[in-house]
Amino acid sequence: MRYTYVHKNITMKKFYLLSTFVVILFSAIAFTSDTNPLVGKWEYSGASQGQPFKLLAIFRVNGTFDGFINKKEFVSGAYHMKHDTMYISDPTCNDKYDGIYKVEFLGKLDSLKFHVIQDTCTGRREGTNGLLFKKVTTVK
């Protein structure tokens, strides 16, 4: 009878250790997995003064972004998402101030539109508000 009790006790300890490990593993995966659909490369094609241009925005998992016009970088900064709202800042528009935008994902999360909620930066508003961006690739 003593053997059975000791055996059950060891089995229960193993079970608890395994359960704890599984919970920790799933928690780590949940916090490190990429659940931010904004992460990746997004492109807008337009024209200014009769000349075509491409605006490329790259949003990274680490909360940074870069903006390019016709493959030339013109802005870098930081952003973060809360549900469907993006808070974005960059040095050209005072990096201590966040512009706030609603992000509307369309289709199969392969295109998006930014809708200004509050932003005093004219250049950022004009370069994002209401424009349709298409997803190019995913960046890790």
Side-chain angles (χ1 to χ4, degrees), residues 92-109:
T92 61
C93 296
N94 184 357
D95 58 0
K96 293 180 182 18
Y97 169 79
D98 284 344
I100 306 169
Y101 292 80
K102 179 180 187 272
V103 181
E104 177 187 9
F105 291 97
L106 305 165
K108 296 179 181 180
L109 303 179

Side-chain angles (χ1 to χ4, degrees), residues 42-48 50-58 66-75 127 131-136:
W42 299 89
E43 187 174 73
Y44 170 77
S45 296
S48 177
Q51 298 297 315
F53 71 91
K54 290 190 186 267
L55 173 60
L56 177 70
I58 301 173
D66 292 309
F68 298 83
I69 293 180
N70 294 332
K71 300 182 181 180
K72 293 181 182 176
E73 185 174 12
F74 72 96
V75 68
L131 302 179
L132 181 65
F133 287 77
K134 299 284 186 178
K135 191 159 197 172
V136 179

Side-chain angles (χ1 to χ4, degrees), residues 50-92:
Q51 298 297 315
F53 71 91
K54 290 190 186 267
L55 173 60
L56 177 70
I58 301 173
F59 292 93
R60 294 182 187 79
V61 173
N62 68 2
T64 62
F65 76 92
D66 292 309
F68 298 83
I69 293 180
N70 294 332
K71 300 182 181 180
K72 293 181 182 176
E73 185 174 12
F74 72 96
V75 68
S76 291
Y79 80 97
H80 68 275
M81 295 287 295
K82 284 187 183 176
H83 306 289
D84 65 348
T85 305
M86 177 181 68
Y87 299 80
I88 188 168
S89 63
D90 62 76
T92 61

